[in-house]
């Protein structure tokens, strides 16, 4: 349900935005293209009309530019036809006009070419003949009038003059007459065609359509503006949501950091408490040892007194007492070292000695039916970087757990062996009841004690794991129910090679 | 800003040069086309497999090593007698319509008509043969995908767009290099304009941009009805598309029926029937000399000067 809502929201937003895009953005683009094609059409039509007038005035002497203009008009119209819109009937009107104009244009070119040609030739001949008879200058003047405005009056005066040309014409006179007659016949026709062309309201119609289209475009653009506004609001909304999410994330991060710090503090306190707990465990072993020492001291004390009474030197007994006291002192030193809070630097030490010592403390406190053995497969020079107290704590915890897993008789084996070139392994194996598979995954978590009846604090293995990690190592466990459990600790490389030289 | 500058220039400059006082215009630079398509089009242009008989290619009638035509009065095509002299393919891209009747509006249409009517192409067979070819599928693939009629036509047309002949002496002359024409050619050009030839033969392609009646002063001796055959309108009787005069010196014989063998005769006939005048031998010679200045270059060589 919680994941359904954002997905639904996202999907509906996507559909909405896509619809708006398809509906408005594309339509606006088409409408803008329509408008620009209309503008181009008006420009090209104006260009065509301008060039027609230039041609008529004799200032333009070729038809390339009008051919180009009508070609452009045709392509503008095909652009307009290709675009969807409600103005299709109007575009059809434009096309009809353009077709009419194109047809008139062909007539214009052919007729215009004839008239221009004849006029050029007329001027040439008239100039050459002008001194031969007075009719020729008059003919020239009448022709200019007619060329300027080919109305019936000028037409009549020109043709009247033509009839008075001297008979017995020479070749040039014949040509002059032929060309004049051609102009007389074709110029009014050319004027009519030109009028047809210039009055075809292609440009005006396009302008009218453009103004209709403009209001349509305006509506579309307003709609597009609304779309843009919607997009803007959506963006703002998303931004607000993003900000909110970020704030929440930040708060969660801070809370998590605080929790972590508290946890570490508790763990550190627990570590120390655990150490003290171990000390308590050791107490009986220590008491036993001290009892032995005290017994020996008393024995040697009695011996020394007897020797003094017998006048013998008590030297030997006293030096024994001194040695025993020295051992007692040593024992106390080590106890103190164990109890000291952690934080020491890693120091090079011989792992075997540390483990032997821990086992020395521990063994007397275990039930007699449990046999503890230690197998050292490292060479004697092997040193690892570690804190002795912590390492001992690990062994004590694991061995005690192992002992608790054994009911009645059993065996605990601690093995120290090289692994690979840069690590050593500490294995603690017991023949106890094993750990059920359901619990094995969570065994290193705090408060996951497997001891019945709330005997354990549930912190033992968590502390072990923490210590191993602090040493840069790893810990794993393998267990078979009713067959036993083995904890395997991998610690980083010894300072010297820990591998025993291979026997030849 | 630009608009203001243009406006100022418009005010300052004399109106003359803006509207060319010359009826002729220099040939514009060749249109930019895909080089690969043009190369493919050139290969197809010379490939006789496009024809039904397997013996005729586009180049059979439009020989690029001569004037882009076949040099015959009328072409010899398997479909029987053909009414019109073969127009040159050079600069065809600049014509406003194609063929003597000007009934074709585009190079595409012309290529299609030539292939289907004159070369009697069997599309199914051609496509099968080209697809089985060693080379064509590889050439078509990146340009058109599969080989089809549209691709073939487009490649041919693309190649035809490159068949332009710039840098004729007249072009250099029109660009201001007066010495590009000999004095006699310059005189011929003056006569060309004076007699009114340039009333129809004008623009960049020196013709090819309007229709005109053949035989304005007197009836020209031909049974060809002209555009009437297309439109059926009486005003179109004997109306033809005005051909371009570019490369005219290397595209004999002349006129729609190819009956005129020399330029001198062609000029004299034009003067008589179109201009209503009789030119002197000297004027004709001058104009013919001028017409020789309309021969342009293709692939670095003057047309008709190919090995």
């Amino acid at each position: 349900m919680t994941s359904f809502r954002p997905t639904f929201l996202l999907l509906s937003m996507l559909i909405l935005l896509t619809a708006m895009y398809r509906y408005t953005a594309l339509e606006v683009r088409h409408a803008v293209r329509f408008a620009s094609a209309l503008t181009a059409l008006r420009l090209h039509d104006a260009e065509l009309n301008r060039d027609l007038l230039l041609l008529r005035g004799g200032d333009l002497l070729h038809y390339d530019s009008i051919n180009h203009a009508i070609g452009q008009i045709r392509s503008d119209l095909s652009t307009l036809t290709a675009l969807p819109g409600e103005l299709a009937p109007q575009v059809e009107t434009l096309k009809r006009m353009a077709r009419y104009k194109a047809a008139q244009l062909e007539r214009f070119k052919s007729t215009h070419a004839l008239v221009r040609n004849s006029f050029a030739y007329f001027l040439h001949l008239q100039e050459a003949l002008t001194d031969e008879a007075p009719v020729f200058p008059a003919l020239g003047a009448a022709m200019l009038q007619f060329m300027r405005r080919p109305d019936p009056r000028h037409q009549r005066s020109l043709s009247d003059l033509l009839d008075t040309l001297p008979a017995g014409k020479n070749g040039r006179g014949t040509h002059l007459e032929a060309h004049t007659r051609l102009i007389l016949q074709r110029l009014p026709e050319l004027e009519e065609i030109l009028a047809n062309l210039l009055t075809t309201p292609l440009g005006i119609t396009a302008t009218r359509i453009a103004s209709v289209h403009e209001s349509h475009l305006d509506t579309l653009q307003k709609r597009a503006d609304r779309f843009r506004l919607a997009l803007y609001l959506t963006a703002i909304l998303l931004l607000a949501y993003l900000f909110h999410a970020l704030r929440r994330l930040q708060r969660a991060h801070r809370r998590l950091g605080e929790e972590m710090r508290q946890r570490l503090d508790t763990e550190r306190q627990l570590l120390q408490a655990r150490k003290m707990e171990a000390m308590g465990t050791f107490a009986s072993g220590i008491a036993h040892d001290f009892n032995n020492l005290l017994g020996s001291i008393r024995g040697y004390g009695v011996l020394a007194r007897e020797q003094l009474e017998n006048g013998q030197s008590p030297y030997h007994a006293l030096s024994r007492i001194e040695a025993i006291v020295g051992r007692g002192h040593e024992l106390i030193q080590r106890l103190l070292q164990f109890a000291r809070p952690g934080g020491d630097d890693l120091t090079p030490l011989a792992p075997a000695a540390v483990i032997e010592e821990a086992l020395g403390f521990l063994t007397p406190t275990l039930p007699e039916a449990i046999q503890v053995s230690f197998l050292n497969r490292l060479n004697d020079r092997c040193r690892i970087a570690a804190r002795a107290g912590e390492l001992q704590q690990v062994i004590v915890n694991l061995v005690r757990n192992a002992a608790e897993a054994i009911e009645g008789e059993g065996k605990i084996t601690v093995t120290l062996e090289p692994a690979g070139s840069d690590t050593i392994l500490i294995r603690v194996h017991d023949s106890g009841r094993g750990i059920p598979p359901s619990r094995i995954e969570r065994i290193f978590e705090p408060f996951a004690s497997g001891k019945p009846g709330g005997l354990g604090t549930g912190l033992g293995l968590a502390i072990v794991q923490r210590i191993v990690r602090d040493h840069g190592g790893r810990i794993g466990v393998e267990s078979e129910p009713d067959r036993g459990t083995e904890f395997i600790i991998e610690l980083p490389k010894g300072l010297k090679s820990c591998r025993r030289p291979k026997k030849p | 800003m630009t608009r203001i500058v243009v406006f100022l220039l418009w005010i300052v400059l004399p109106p003359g040069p803006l509207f060319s006082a010359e009826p002729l215009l220099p040939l514009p630079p060749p249109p930019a086309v895909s080089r690969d398509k043009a190369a493919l089009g050139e290969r197809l242009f010379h490939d006789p497999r496009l024809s039904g008989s397997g013996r005729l290619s586009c180049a059979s009638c439009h020989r690029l090593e001569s004037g882009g035509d076949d040099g015959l009065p009328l072409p010899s095509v398997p479909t029987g007698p053909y009414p019109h002299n073969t127009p040159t393919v050079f600069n065809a891209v600049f014509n406003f319509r194609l063929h003597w009747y000007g009934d074709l509006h585009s190079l595409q249409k012309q290529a299609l008509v030539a292939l289907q009517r004159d070369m009697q192409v069997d599309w199914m067979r051609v496509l099968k043969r080209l697809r089985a070819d060693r080379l064509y599928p590889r050439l078509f693939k990146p340009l058109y995908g599969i080989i089809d009629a549209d691709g073939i036509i487009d490649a041919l047309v693309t190649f035809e767009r490159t068949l332009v002949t710039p840098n004729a002496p007249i072009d250099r002359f029109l660009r201001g290099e007066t010495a590009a024409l000999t004095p006699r050619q310059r005189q011929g050009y003056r006569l060309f304009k004076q007699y009114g030839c340039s009333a129809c033969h004008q623009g960049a392609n020196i013709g090819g941009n309007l229709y005109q009646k053949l035989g304005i002063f007197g009836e020209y001796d031909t049974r060809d009805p002209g555009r009437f055959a297309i439109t059926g309108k009486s005003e179109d009787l004997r109306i033809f598309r005005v051909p371009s005069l570019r490369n005219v010196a290397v595209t004999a014989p002349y006129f729609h029926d190819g009956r005129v063998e020399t330029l001198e005769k062609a000029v004299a006939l034009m003067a008589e029937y179109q201009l209503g005048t009789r030119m002197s031998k000297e004027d004709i010679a001058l104009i013919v000399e001028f017409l020789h200045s309309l021969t342009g270059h293709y692939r670095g060589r003057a047309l008709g000067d190919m090995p």
Side-chain angles (χ1 to χ4, degrees):
Chain A
M1 191 65 196
T2 42
S3 73
F4 167 74
R5 261 185 53 204
T7 313
F8 175 74
L9 207 73
L10 207 82
L11 266 178
S12 51
M13 214 136 146
L14 201 73
I15 290 167
L16 195 74
L17 287 174
T18 310
M20 275 168 114
Y21 173 72
R22 294 234 18 119
Y23 190 58
T24 57
L26 282 183
E27 231 180 18
V28 168
R29 198 186 308 161
H30 285 158
V32 167
R33 274 177 60 196
F34 191 89
S36 75
L38 266 181
T39 310
L41 178 70
R42 284 151 69 190
L43 276 175
H44 290 134
D45 187 55
E47 202 175 287
L48 177 65
N49 290 348
R50 180 201 67 192
D51 287 347
L52 285 170
L53 291 170
L54 285 173
L55 278 164
R56 171 67 176 91
D59 295 313
L60 186 65
L61 300 176
H62 59 78
Y63 305 119
D64 281 4
S65 56
I66 52 172
N67 278 341
H68 177 257
I70 194 79
Q72 290 296 312
I73 287 173
R74 226 175 261 132
S75 92
D76 294 335
L77 280 169
S78 69
T79 307
L80 289 175
T81 316
L83 291 167
E86 305 109 53
L87 295 168
Q90 283 89 329
V91 172
E92 208 43 56
T93 312
L94 285 179
K95 275 170 96 172
R96 227 175 14 251
M97 287 175 181
R99 266 199 299 276
Y100 174 73
K101 223 165 164 169
Q104 291 294 311
L105 201 63
E106 292 311 324
R107 281 184 69 201
F108 177 85
K109 283 189 290 185
S110 305
T111 314
H112 179 263
L114 293 180
V115 170
R116 280 321 302 180
N117 165 37
S118 286
F119 185 59
Y121 201 53
F122 173 91
L123 289 178
H124 173 63
L125 282 176
Q126 190 262 348
E127 201 183 324
L129 295 170
T130 195
D131 293 335
E132 291 197 2
V135 69
F136 289 116
L139 196 66
M143 176 59 90
L144 283 179
Q145 290 278 2
F146 183 62
M147 278 300 279
R148 201 169 63 81
R149 184 164 300 150
D151 55 19
R153 189 165 66 86
H154 294 130
Q155 190 171 20
R156 209 174 315 115
S157 63
L158 187 59
S159 80
D160 287 351
L161 268 176
L162 215 51
D163 293 338
T164 67
L165 277 182
K169 308 153 185 172
N170 56 17
R172 290 196 290 192
T174 320
H175 293 154
L176 187 68
E177 189 187 340
H179 282 285
T180 310
R181 288 208 185 284
L182 187 137
I183 292 173
L184 270 172
Q185 185 201 343
R186 291 303 187 94
L187 188 60
E189 185 189 335
L190 184 67
E191 284 294 289
E192 186 198 321
I193 297 168
L194 185 64
N196 288 345
L197 278 164
L198 294 178
T199 55
T200 302
L202 186 61
I204 294 168
T205 311
T207 308
R208 202 174 310 133
I209 294 173
S211 72
V212 173
H213 181 66
E214 194 126 330
S215 66
H216 175 57
L217 186 63
D218 222 40
T219 323
L220 287 180
Q221 249 149 9
K222 272 197 196 112
R223 202 186 291 163
D225 281 346
R226 280 201 293 278
F227 176 47
R228 257 196 296 274
L229 184 71
L231 276 183
Y232 173 71
L233 290 178
T234 312
I236 292 284
L237 221 69
L238 284 176
L239 209 65
Y241 179 71
L242 193 71
F243 180 70
H244 174 67
L246 263 175
R247 281 287 298 278
R248 272 181 54 186
L249 199 68
Q250 212 172 22
R251 238 176 289 145
H253 179 255
R254 212 178 300 136
R255 212 168 40 231
L256 217 62
E258 186 61 36
E259 215 167 273
M260 201 69 198
R261 203 161 32 249
Q262 277 176 12
R263 234 167 201 245
L264 283 174
D265 274 356
T266 317
E267 217 169 85
R268 221 176 355 255
Q269 285 165 15
L270 271 172
L271 198 65
Q272 190 58 27
R274 193 68 183 167
K275 232 190 260 181
M276 290 302 150
E277 193 188 326
M279 288 276 286
T281 315
F282 294 161
S284 60
I286 292 160
H288 183 75
D289 276 3
F290 264 87
N291 209 27
N292 285 347
L293 292 179
L294 289 176
S296 299
I297 289 171
R298 175 194 274 171
Y300 280 114
V302 170
L303 187 63
R305 186 157 46 103
E306 279 173 4
Q307 279 172 337
L308 273 175
E309 282 168 3
N310 295 342
Q312 287 174 319
S313 165
Y315 178 81
H316 176 69
L318 286 174
S319 59
R320 286 305 301 166
I321 287 171
E322 194 185 345
I324 290 164
V325 169
R327 272 182 60 201
H329 181 71
E330 215 175 286
L331 207 60
I332 297 293
Q333 278 300 314
R334 269 190 262 158
L335 263 178
L336 286 175
Q337 204 175 2
F338 182 80
R340 197 162 57 208
D344 286 4
D345 287 340
L346 296 171
T347 48
L349 51 84
V354 174
I355 290 172
E356 264 171 356
E357 202 174 277
L359 291 178
F361 287 137
L362 198 60
T363 311
T365 71
L366 300 180
E368 297 214 345
I370 296 173
Q371 192 191 334
V372 180
S373 55
F374 176 50
L375 245 77
N376 180 15
R377 295 212 176 100
L378 300 178
N379 68 30
D380 297 338
R381 292 189 313 277
C382 178
R383 297 285 182 278
I384 63 170
R387 283 179 284 271
E390 285 184 8
L391 202 56
Q392 281 178 340
Q393 209 176 337
V394 166
I395 299 298
V396 167
N397 265 311
L398 288 182
V399 171
R400 232 171 46 174
N401 278 355
E404 278 157 11
I406 295 169
E407 290 155 9
E409 290 195 358
K411 267 173 75 177
I412 298 175
T413 315
V414 180
T415 315
L416 199 54
E417 61 184 33
S421 61
D422 53 359
T423 52
I424 62 161
L425 293 184
I426 302 170
R427 297 171 181 273
V428 178
H429 180 85
D430 68 63
S431 59
R433 60 176 179 270
I435 304 165
S438 62
R439 203 179 294 152
I440 203 156
E441 274 176 32
R442 308 184 43 171
I443 198 152
F444 292 109
E445 288 178 15
F447 313 110
S449 173
K451 292 169 196 167
L455 280 175
T457 57
L459 284 167
L461 283 175
I463 289 168
V464 165
Q465 189 185 38
R466 209 179 125 64
I467 292 172
V468 170
R469 282 190 184 160
D470 283 351
H471 280 75
R474 295 186 302 177
I475 184 164
V477 61
E478 284 169 13
S479 184
E480 262 182 87
D482 297 325
R483 297 284 297 273
T485 305
E486 184 171 58
F487 282 89
I488 303 147
I489 294 169
E490 192 184 280
L491 286 175
K493 190 184 167 133
L495 299 175
K496 285 180 183 166
S497 173
C498 294
R499 196 182 285 277
R500 271 179 202 271
K502 268 192 187 144
K503 278 166 192 162
Chain B
M1 188 61 202
T2 326
R3 257 186 270 175
I4 296 170
V5 170
V6 168
F7 180 68
L8 285 178
L9 281 176
W10 183 71
I11 288 178
V12 169
L13 287 176
L18 279 183
F19 315 109
S20 164
E22 292 292 336
L24 305 195
L25 299 174
L27 207 62
V33 295
S34 150
R35 203 178 285 208
D36 291 343
K37 285 185 182 178
L40 173 59
E42 181 171 8
R43 188 173 286 279
L44 290 165
F45 193 84
H46 290 92
D47 197 331
R49 278 178 289 180
L50 290 186
S51 66
S53 66
R55 285 199 297 271
L56 222 55
S57 74
C58 304
S60 305
C61 289
H62 298 289
R63 289 181 4 227
L64 303 182
E65 65 278 8
S66 56
D69 63 349
D70 54 8
L72 300 169
L74 297 174
S76 67
V77 284
T79 46
Y82 192 87
H84 292 150
N85 178 256
T86 306
T88 176
V89 71
F90 283 113
N91 305 316
V93 60
F94 297 119
N95 287 332
F96 89 129
R97 302 277 188 279
L98 299 162
H99 278 191
W100 282 94
Y101 289 159
D103 49 331
L104 301 176
H105 286 231
S106 66
L107 291 175
Q108 280 83 351
K109 209 55 183 280
Q110 189 279 331
L112 197 65
V113 166
L115 277 167
Q116 291 183 340
R117 192 182 63 192
D118 307 335
M119 291 165 72
Q120 301 210 291
V121 64
D122 177 351
W123 282 115
M124 296 300 274
R125 221 177 69 198
V126 166
L127 294 182
K128 217 165 100 185
R129 283 169 87 180
L130 293 193
R131 281 171 190 162
D133 189 78
R134 216 159 30 83
L135 202 57
Y136 279 116
R138 263 190 294 152
L139 296 175
F140 268 90
K141 186 102 179 68
L143 302 173
Y144 300 103
I146 55 150
I147 299 179
D148 61 2
D150 287 347
I152 291 172
I153 298 280
D154 186 71
L156 281 171
V157 167
T158 308
F159 174 56
E160 283 173 43
R161 288 178 177 282
T162 69
L163 295 178
V164 298
T165 62
N167 288 328
I170 185 66
D171 292 315
R172 281 154 49 207
F173 174 82
L174 290 171
R175 291 197 184 95
E177 197 184 320
T178 315
L181 299 190
T182 64
R184 280 178 64 79
Q185 283 176 333
R186 287 205 289 273
Q187 216 177 326
Y189 181 38
R190 212 159 34 242
L191 289 172
F192 184 80
K193 291 189 279 189
Q194 203 170 58
Y195 275 110
C197 310
S198 65
C200 288
H201 296 287
Q202 35 60 51
N205 217 13
I206 316 178
N209 59 1
L210 77 158
Y211 299 117
Q212 193 52 278
K213 184 172 182 166
L214 178 60
I216 293 161
F217 299 93
E219 196 152 311
Y220 188 81
D221 176 26
T222 178
R223 278 200 300 221
D224 199 314
R227 281 178 59 71
F228 177 80
I230 309 290
T231 65
K233 293 181 186 163
S234 59
E235 69 251 35
D236 283 335
L237 256 175
R238 301 205 169 187
I239 292 215
F240 293 88
R241 179 189 65 106
V242 173
S244 160
L245 287 188
R246 285 195 175 269
N247 308 309
V248 71
V250 293
T251 55
Y254 304 107
F255 292 7
H256 64 283
D257 49 12
R259 283 207 326 228
V260 180
E261 282 147 23
T262 65
L263 274 179
E264 284 77 7
K265 210 172 154 203
V267 172
L269 281 170
M270 277 283 119
E272 185 181 346
Y273 286 97
Q274 300 305 109
L275 308 176
T277 182
R278 209 172 284 273
M279 279 188 202
S280 68
K281 277 220 159 59
E282 174 59 10
D283 284 359
I284 290 176
L286 287 167
I287 287 179
V288 167
E289 276 194 48
F290 162 69
L291 292 178
H292 275 89
S293 79
L294 306 183
T295 306
H297 289 73
Y298 178 62
R299 297 200 168 156
R301 283 169 184 277
L303 229 57
D305 196 18
M306 303 278 167

